[in-house]
Amino acid sequence: MTRSKQASDASQNELLRLTGITKRFPGVLALSNVNFDLKEGEVHVLFGENGAGKSTLINVISGVLTPSEGAISLYGQPFRFSSPQDAREQGISPVFQEFSLIPDMTVEENLYLGREETTHGFLRKKEMRRAAMRILARLGFGIAPNARVSALPRAQQQMVEIAKALVTDPRILILDEPTASLTEAESARLFEFVRELRAQGVGIIYISHRMREIRDLADRVTVLRDGALISTVHAQDVTDDEMVELMTGRKAGVLYPRIPHNPGNVMLEARDLHTVRDRVRDASFQVRAGEIVGIAGLVGCGKSELVRAAFGLEPIDRGEVQFDGDTYAHPTAAQSLEHGICYFPADRGAEGLAATRPILENASMAALPENAFSIRGFLRKGSEKSRVQEIMERLQLRPMRLFAAVGSLSGGNRQKVVLARGMTRGTQVFLFDEPTVGIDVGAKAEIYALLGELVAEGAAVVLVSSELPEILGLSHRVYVMHNARVVAHLEGDEITEDRILSHFFTDHTDAA
Amino acid sequence: MTTATSPRSREFVATVKLLTFPLLILAMFGLFAMFEPRIASARNLVNISSQSTYLIVFALAQTVVLVPRGFDLSLGNAVSFTSVATALALTSSFAAGLPGYAVVVLGLLTGLACGTAVGLFNGFFASVLGIRSFIVTLGAMNICYGLSATISGGRPVFNVPEAFTTFFYSGTFAGIPAPILWTACVAIAVHVVLSNTVFGRTLYLMGCNPRAVEVAGLPRRKYFAIAFVLSGALVAIGALMLTARTGTGEPNLGGNLLLQAIAAAVMGGVSLSGGRGGVFHAITGALFITVLSNGLNFLQISGYLQQIILGLVIILAIALDKSRD
Amino acid sequence: MTREQRQTMTRITHETPPVRLDWRHHLTETTGILIAVILGLMLILSLVEPRFLAAQNLANLLRSASILAIISAGQMFVIIVRGFDLSVGATMAMVSVVTAMVMANVPEGTATSLTILYGVGAGFAAGAAVGLVNGLCVAYLKVHSFMVTLGTSSIVVGLALYLTNGIPVYGMPRGFSSEFGRAIWGGLPSAFYIGAGLALLFWVIQNLTTVGKYIYAVGGNFKSAVFSGLSANRYLVMAYVISGLTAALASILLTAQIGSGQGSIGGVLTFQSIAVAIIGGVSLQGGVGKIENVCLAALFLQLLTNAMELLRIQSQLQAVILGLIVILVAANDIRKTRSV
């Protein structure tokens, strides 16, 4: 099928058109004046960095959020969604990254949740079983219909999620990074299926920031940056570099500072770490002073758990961590901090910040036991304030309001408050877990520059990231993880997109 | 960015907010006094302030666990348990002929031992095993009920020695009535702990985000358990004061005291979802409840109706708590 | 596009058959343990204390267990939706008073059956009203249920005592008290038949209807339930209304048994119902809980109470033991969810 020609055919029926959509949250403008449209039988990719507004946009389309301004027309008629259910009844099926499955129910119960086949309120279980098996078989996923969802691995949960979206025969299907936790074979099966749906006339909104997928699937691409529409282009008309430029707003390569590699002593080393719940299996890594070490891998591959275990946040089954000349079988966060190791969590809302408490308290949180902050358990409030003020000035917090609640800050400022924590005590090893999630491009550049400064001053930096360009642009060395194991270690010229990706997908099912 | 509110005007707004509730209590007091002038008499004012002391201590006990996002349902029955156990220790030691100061010390130690034991029990299960605090304290509530009913046989324990009642109730120190003095000491101590120590700071932070506190390397579980122990000690002090006031060990205090303590803390502005509220809030909340029940008593509103009103106050407090977020 | 069209396009690749489950799967671990413990306890009791096997004792045991199971069934639904109903005891007091007052105050000459109907109807209405208020507060104020139900229980008990001045209400027809409340039909107490019927009804709801599935879904993951298009708040409220209704039913049975309406009824039953639900494997994390296990747990707890009575253990100490059991079972519940 010659899809590119079909896609550009103007006579195709329009399924959805958004005009001037704006969405405000307290303190944040998530979307500003965005236009978007979707035609029958096309795959329209939403492209942008984390925090560019993609998720907000699909939440608006699927009725989860109501836009602050703007108009939606569906199948040519003006329309206002009042609820997710409303959108679903109109034939819009979203597959979110955050799962919408009930863990303690079976696959078939989940597939039909909210649209069960019934007679007089009684469930027609046999019919639903048959239909569920049909859908699962059609997707080619080997999942038993009466398996409990909580017992399935993440990749299979993702498949159930997709199957659930198809139960209603949608006209518009939304896929939000559906391959984030799938293997290559599973992804290939999914792509085949997406093409099949497109041939049947379903309109598909596909969120991804993987070039390969976009090349494989996209008819049109809409690029968002910092909540604004940058451009909508035909996929075959632009090169990869042009697309990255549209996404980041800078020439490729300019965003990432050139950071000299001056490796010194080994500051932190993990040997054969194995966590209690097998999220990390026999993984080793080390980081030296004066270098940035990247850890790359698919979502759920264990890369975040690896650094968390080394820092002391995940229970360790066996293996050891070495820092400051000592070896620890079960390091604690307090010990790590004491020895100058600081972890910066990916989910700043859930793990980093106490939102209703002031900036001051959040910034000094990790350093409270230090002498500058407390003596014999009593706080030294004056000293605390001047120290934090000093650090926030270096980080250029604007506006400088130390007693404002953290919840009222923008994403960039929140990250600065978290970063301040590393500077309140003499931190030498910085473990960054997805440091630029939910941050605009300007703040991102500031953070990259800060990483450069830190390394130049002799700090050791570990960078866990799902954004491949970030890993490629900053790391001196890269560990690649797959299925809870470290499967590759790349250095210098070996660090290329293709090499890293090849390790993402190969199944290393060693007998160990 | 232009700041619409200057730091000074922001401070002003904060002060006004802080004073709204105390003014409201005054207004309510005035309203009651219009119906019944005796309410505004000097004697009743002294009465209200001494009555409110007990509730202040219990509201503080509840606040200390509410701040780190805990909850204590065992409070009322723990008071009964402590009261009965102390009274039994006191009467038997007095009968054994111990001198007055020794009786006071013994009573204090017994009470603190009982209260902190309950706190330790709650703290252990809630923090070490990670069971939700309200289910732990629900269990502890029944255990305390069973224990106090068993050791007292379900009847009040009479004849608490005078040395004890003087020290905790009828005596004055430098002209200050004992209950007011002890409550002031407790309030100041709790204030210092909550706002000037690493422990107190951590309670607020973990009430707001427990996982962030762990990532920051602070001993969350340990401090959460200590919060319960501290709360237990406060419960014990309140129970001792109450025992001294009635002169008996009371086995059936239970439910109403718990409801009043929660209502006072939450009404005063201590957040049910943790991380907000302090000594000032507990005191104003306790004053509110005391002024309300004092007024209702003067107007001869039946106890049953007062129970209904207390329930309504709790629901109102929840709604207010929600609206503050 | 039609389903037929779709099917023609479908290439059946490989169909995965459902995992084969035999009858044993449907009996969970909890069921097995409970049955074993109950049988063991009965055996020991009958050996140690012959009075246990007396017909009167068994009938009393079964009646109390049935009433406890009824209250706990309502509590189960509330815990499934991640709540707690601390107002069931208060609701029982209120229902008892309302039912008795209505029956005692019907105009002279009303038929006995109508008198009973009015009383029972008023009782159920009162129970449902308390449940509705709880449910609405929890669903729309989004506050933890135990705070709300603590508040409503104070209000409701206050109301029950205010209406009666704390004095028991007499004057119910004999047809209600001795001929129904204390009746033994076919060797089994009347309450048992009603409890069994209710259990069957709830089993059908949980296993064969959408309502049952939706209540599980709302408790299992509220957000997902909303995303799946359920009116999640409606099922949340429904759980509390069911709890109000079961508390009403239990109260009516108890009132009929005692023969008077009392504002002090139901004191320890709140805690017992929570204990039964937790022992019966209803998870505190929500979304899990089966009526059959809750019934077994009620029988177990009543047996335990009976044993302590027969062995003359002070009734207050029972509260201590119950408190410990609940905390230990809750600890086990945490352990189970962590190990997954």
Side-chain angles (χ1 to χ4, degrees):
Chain A
M1 196 176 294
T2 53
R3 62 176 167 86
S4 47
K5 266 188 197 154
Q6 237 187 25
S8 49
D9 190 350
S11 69
Q12 273 176 294
N13 288 326
E14 188 179 273
L15 295 174
L16 176 77
R17 175 172 289 280
L18 307 183
T19 325
I21 296 291
T22 295
K23 177 71 192 175
R24 284 185 208 89
F25 293 111
V28 186
L29 182 64
L31 283 179
S32 106
N33 196 23
V34 171
N35 300 321
F36 180 83
D37 70 288
L38 181 70
K39 299 191 176 96
E40 214 167 63
E42 77 161 341
V43 174
H44 193 155
V45 164
L46 274 178
F47 188 60
E49 306 191 286
N50 286 319
K54 297 170 297 186
S55 301
T56 315
L57 189 62
I58 59 164
N59 273 316
V60 166
I61 296 172
S62 51
V64 177
L65 297 173
T66 31
S68 316
E69 282 164 34
I72 301 174
S73 87
L74 190 65
Y75 316 131
Q77 306 287 324
F79 202 81
R80 275 190 78 84
F81 299 123
S82 53
S83 69
Q85 191 172 12
D86 204 11
R88 223 175 266 272
E89 275 162 16
Q90 298 299 322
I92 300 177
S93 266
V95 179
F96 294 106
Q97 267 181 301
E98 193 186 332
F99 292 144
S100 73
L101 303 176
I102 313 288
D104 281 308
M105 295 176 96
T106 64
V107 171
E108 58 191 358
E109 283 173 332
N110 267 293
L111 290 184
Y112 284 91
L113 185 63
R115 56 190 80 90
E116 286 84 354
E117 316 250 344
T118 55
T119 355
H120 311 302
F122 286 93
L123 299 163
R124 299 196 341 227
K125 289 189 170 182
K126 276 193 188 136
E127 277 169 44
M128 287 193 281
R129 161 82 43 99
R130 252 181 275 132
M133 286 175 71
R134 213 157 47 222
I135 289 173
L136 291 169
R138 182 162 157 240
L139 285 162
F141 303 153
I143 301 172
N146 61 347
R148 204 156 285 279
V149 164
S150 59
L152 296 177
R154 196 185 148 90
Q156 292 200 344
Q157 293 189 7
Q158 173 77 68
M159 294 168 182
V160 175
E161 194 81 37
I162 294 167
K164 184 177 170 186
L166 294 170
V167 168
T168 46
D169 291 341
R171 293 185 68 186
I172 299 174
L173 179 68
I174 303 173
L175 297 169
D176 186 359
E177 299 198 27
T179 55
S181 55
L182 299 189
T183 65
E184 188 150 38
E186 290 161 343
S187 301
R189 182 70 198 93
L190 179 71
F191 293 169
E192 202 180 309
F193 189 70
V194 167
R195 291 193 194 99
E196 207 176 286
L197 286 174
R198 172 169 63 195
Q200 292 169 15
V202 177
I204 295 153
I205 302 173
Y206 193 104
I207 294 190
S208 176
H209 45 214
R210 290 210 192 127
M211 270 324 174
R212 260 170 35 162
E213 289 180 9
I214 296 170
R215 286 284 161 233
D216 254 15
L217 286 174
D219 296 309
R220 287 192 295 161
V221 180
T222 286
V223 184
L224 294 176
R225 192 200 312 145
D226 297 343
L229 172 72
I230 300 303
S231 174
T232 297
V233 294
H234 284 274
Q236 72 270 31
D237 296 347
V238 285
T239 65
D240 285 8
D241 278 351
E242 283 169 343
M243 211 125 58
V244 171
E245 258 180 68
L246 288 172
M247 171 171 84
T248 58
R250 320 184 170 214
K251 285 262 174 239
V254 174
L255 183 59
Y256 305 107
R258 193 155 292 284
I259 302 168
H261 188 197
N262 296 315
N265 295 333
V266 174
M267 303 294 286
L268 172 70
E269 180 168 11
R271 277 192 290 265
D272 302 321
L273 274 195
H274 200 112
T275 61
V276 168
R277 263 160 284 173
D278 295 334
R279 299 293 297 276
V280 177
R281 295 163 187 265
D282 305 313
S284 305
F285 76 93
Q286 53 161 265
V287 57
R288 293 168 180 275
E291 69 170 355
I292 297 187
V293 170
I295 299 185
L298 291 171
V299 171
C301 71
K303 57 185 190 300
S304 167
E305 287 80 0
L306 175 60
V307 284
R308 292 170 63 89
F311 179 69
L313 292 173
E314 298 281 325
I316 295 172
D317 185 36
R318 50 180 194 269
E320 58 187 29
V321 181
Q322 192 172 6
F323 46 78
D324 236 11
D326 287 317
T327 306
Y328 300 85
H330 301 283
T332 64
Q335 277 169 348
S336 297
L337 284 161
E338 211 172 296
H339 290 92
I341 301 167
C342 192
Y343 168 77
F344 302 90
D347 192 337
R348 290 180 290 278
E351 290 206 321
L353 298 166
T356 59
R357 305 304 301 173
I359 292 175
L360 178 78
E361 291 183 13
N362 275 284
S364 64
M365 198 191 284
L368 287 181
E370 297 267 286
N371 280 338
F373 294 90
S374 68
I375 285 178
R376 290 174 203 283
F378 284 90
L379 296 169
R380 296 173 62 188
K381 287 188 168 176
S383 159
E384 178 189 22
K385 195 183 161 202
S386 58
R387 283 292 288 269
V388 170
Q389 176 117 28
E390 211 174 278
I391 289 160
M392 292 322 296
E393 267 160 20
R394 178 176 170 196
L395 288 169
Q396 304 171 358
L397 179 77
R398 293 171 299 255
M400 179 66 78
R401 279 164 40 193
L402 293 183
F403 290 96
V406 164
S408 65
L409 302 179
S410 69
N413 273 339
R414 284 184 200 200
Q415 179 62 302
K416 283 177 186 173
V417 175
V418 174
L419 284 174
R421 222 177 269 174
M423 312 184 135
T424 47
R425 49 202 302 174
T427 304
Q428 289 150 346
V429 181
F430 293 79
L431 309 173
F432 288 107
D433 196 350
E434 310 284 357
T436 55
V437 168
I439 290 180
D440 66 46
V441 177
K444 231 176 225 189
E446 280 182 39
I447 284 168
Y448 294 146
L450 180 79
L451 289 190
E453 270 176 50
L454 291 172
V455 172
E457 286 167 17
V461 173
V462 175
L463 173 67
V464 175
S465 178
S466 300
E467 298 224 15
L468 216 40
E470 201 168 273
I471 296 272
L472 294 169
L474 294 169
S475 315
H476 298 120
R477 294 190 292 121
V478 175
Y479 293 92
V480 185
M481 287 191 72
H482 180 69
N483 265 347
R485 294 177 195 281
V486 172
V487 292
H489 174 226
L490 307 173
E491 232 170 321
D493 295 341
E494 298 172 339
I495 305 175
T496 63
E497 175 162 8
D498 281 346
R499 286 197 69 154
I500 294 180
L501 278 178
S502 72
H503 292 293
F504 271 23
F505 294 115
T506 359
D507 269 311
H508 294 255
T509 39
D510 34 328
Chain B
M1 196 197 281
T2 52
T3 43
T5 49
S6 70
R8 188 172 292 174
S9 75
R10 219 179 297 123
E11 246 170 57
F12 177 73
V13 171
T15 319
V16 169
K17 269 189 182 169
L18 209 61
L19 288 179
T20 317
F21 190 56
L23 288 174
L24 203 97
I25 298 174
L26 269 182
M28 184 174 75
F29 180 76
L31 201 68
F32 276 131
M34 270 163 50
F35 286 102
E36 175 54 75
R38 276 182 302 162
I39 289 178
S41 69
R43 195 160 144 232
N44 189 46
L45 279 175
V46 172
N47 200 11
I48 286 179
S49 45
S50 90
Q51 265 176 13
S52 66
T53 54
Y54 309 95
L55 193 53
I56 288 173
V57 176
F58 295 133
L60 283 173
Q62 194 65 259
T63 301
V64 168
V65 288
L66 279 177
V67 164
R69 214 187 275 188
F71 202 84
D72 190 357
L73 285 175
S74 68
L75 190 141
N77 289 101
V79 171
S80 284
F81 171 54
T82 309
S83 172
V84 168
T86 310
L88 283 173
L90 286 171
T91 46
S92 57
S93 67
F94 187 67
L98 275 167
Y101 68 88
V103 168
V104 171
V105 171
L106 183 87
L108 190 64
L109 290 180
T110 316
L112 283 176
C114 292
T116 49
V118 176
L120 203 59
F121 179 91
N122 287 335
F124 174 78
F125 284 101
S127 83
V128 180
L129 294 187
I131 310 171
R132 274 192 274 164
S133 61
F134 110 88
I135 195 88
V136 173
T137 53
L138 189 63
M141 167 177 142
N142 276 267
I143 294 171
C144 287
Y145 162 76
L147 286 177
S148 52
T150 308
I151 59 177
S152 69
R155 290 174 299 277
V157 181
F158 293 104
N159 299 324
V160 169
E162 211 184 310
F164 183 79
T165 56
T166 311
F167 189 76
F168 281 106
Y169 174 62
S170 49
T172 55
F173 300 84
I176 307 168
I180 293 177
L181 179 71
W182 300 136
T183 303
C185 290
V186 165
I188 291 167
V190 172
H191 177 76
V192 169
V193 166
L194 282 184
S195 52
N196 286 302
T197 65
V198 174
F199 166 69
R201 170 71 65 80
T202 308
L203 293 191
Y204 284 100
L205 290 170
M206 80 166 97
C208 185
N209 187 344
R211 281 171 70 196
V213 166
E214 261 174 30
V215 171
L218 295 163
R220 180 180 72 89
R221 282 167 189 270
K222 186 170 124 192
Y223 283 179
F224 194 48
I226 295 177
F228 273 99
V229 175
L230 177 60
S231 169
L234 293 173
V235 165
I237 293 170
L240 292 177
M241 286 165 52
L242 210 56
T243 309
R245 177 177 154 204
T246 54
T248 53
E250 295 284 349
N252 301 316
L253 288 169
N256 224 30
L257 209 53
L258 168 69
L259 287 175
Q260 286 187 342
I262 294 172
V266 179
M267 202 63 201
V270 180
S271 171
L272 276 172
S273 36
R276 181 164 38 76
V279 172
F280 175 79
H281 302 102
I283 292 177
T284 47
L287 279 173
F288 172 81
I289 300 288
T290 313
V291 168
L292 180 67
S293 69
N294 178 272
L296 293 176
N297 281 337
F298 264 102
L299 298 179
Q300 293 178 327
I301 305 289
S302 98
Y304 301 139
L305 259 186
Q306 289 199 31
Q307 195 174 349
I308 298 174
I309 292 169
L310 185 59
L312 289 172
V313 167
I314 285 185
I315 304 280
L316 175 71
I318 299 171
L320 280 177
D321 182 51
K322 218 54 210 170
S323 71
R324 288 193 198 102
D325 288 341
Chain C
M1 170 186 349
T2 65
R3 212 170 267 274
E4 282 74 19
Q5 257 178 318
R6 223 188 234 168
Q7 270 164 27
T8 54
M9 304 203 60
T10 305
R11 291 156 305 147
I12 303 288
T13 39
H14 51 290
E15 210 166 88
T16 312
V19 182
R20 288 289 296 276
L21 300 169
D22 59 8
W23 61 272
R24 267 169 295 191
H25 171 84
H26 296 287
L27 295 182
T28 58
E29 194 188 347
T30 317
T31 319
I33 295 173
L34 279 172
I35 291 177
V37 171
I38 287 171
L39 290 178
L41 208 57
M42 284 169 74
L43 188 71
I44 294 171
L45 269 175
S46 50
L47 290 178
V48 173
E49 182 53 72
R51 275 182 301 154
F52 171 71
L53 289 174
Q56 188 59 43
N57 185 51
L58 287 179
N60 284 342
L61 172 69
L62 212 50
R63 181 182 287 117
S64 308
S66 304
I67 291 175
L68 186 56
I70 291 168
I71 315 164
S72 309
Q75 188 71 259
M76 168 188 74
F77 279 108
V78 175
I79 300 181
I80 287 178
V81 298
R82 292 192 196 200
F84 275 97
D85 190 348
L86 295 181
S87 71
V88 288
T91 309
M92 289 181 70
M94 170 84 152
V95 169
S96 177
V97 165
V98 166
T99 305
M101 283 175 86
V102 168
M103 285 191 197
N105 290 305
V106 285
E108 202 84 27
T110 312
T112 310
S113 56
L114 270 183
T115 307
I116 294 175
L117 192 70
Y118 291 150
V120 169
F124 277 122
V130 178
L132 190 65
V133 170
N134 285 335
L136 290 175
C137 282
V138 172
Y140 295 100
L141 285 178
K142 299 261 173 263
V143 210
H144 200 296
S145 53
F146 72 87
M147 271 304 292
V148 173
T149 51
L150 205 58
T152 48
S153 69
S154 177
I155 297 174
V156 168
V157 162
L159 221 73
L161 293 171
Y162 183 68
L163 287 174
T164 60
N165 250 325
I167 302 162
V169 182
Y170 292 98
M172 290 186 287
R174 281 177 47 83
F176 181 63
S177 52
S178 52
E179 286 165 30
F180 167 68
R182 292 188 277 269
I184 303 282
W185 299 331
L188 296 168
S190 51
F192 173 76
Y193 293 96
I194 289 174
L198 188 79
L200 188 66
L201 175 70
F202 282 170
W203 188 87
V204 168
I205 288 178
Q206 286 197 317
N207 289 282
L208 304 178
T209 69
T210 49
V211 173
K213 293 287 168 230
Y214 292 170
I215 290 179
Y216 280 128
V218 167
N221 189 336
F222 189 86
K223 243 172 126 181
S224 297
V226 173
F227 276 140
S228 303
L230 307 186
S231 329
N233 274 339
R234 185 192 303 168
Y235 296 98
L236 201 62
V237 174
M238 196 181 286
Y240 288 88
V241 173
I242 292 175
S243 179
L245 286 172
T246 53
L249 177 60
S251 172
I252 289 166
L253 290 173
L254 211 54
T255 306
Q257 186 196 333
I258 301 168
S260 63
Q262 305 214 353
S264 58
I265 219 174
V268 294
L269 285 169
T270 303
F271 188 64
Q272 285 196 356
S273 71
I274 292 175
V276 165
I278 298 176
I279 293 169
V282 185
S283 170
L284 295 176
Q285 327 298 321
V288 177
K290 295 183 167 201
I291 179 69
E292 56 270 29
N293 290 343
V294 169
C295 290
L296 284 174
L299 182 59
F300 160 72
L301 199 67
Q302 205 54 53
L303 261 175
L304 202 66
T305 310
N306 193 243
M308 289 196 271
E309 273 162 14
L310 290 174
L311 300 174
R312 298 211 174 74
I313 294 174
Q314 261 192 33
S315 69
Q316 291 93 343
L317 266 184
Q318 290 175 24
V320 178
I321 292 166
L322 202 57
L324 284 173
I325 291 179
V326 163
I327 291 174
L328 292 179
V329 176
N332 189 45
D333 184 53
I334 298 264
R335 188 187 58 78
K336 262 194 289 187
T337 44
R338 275 203 191 144
S339 63
V340 172

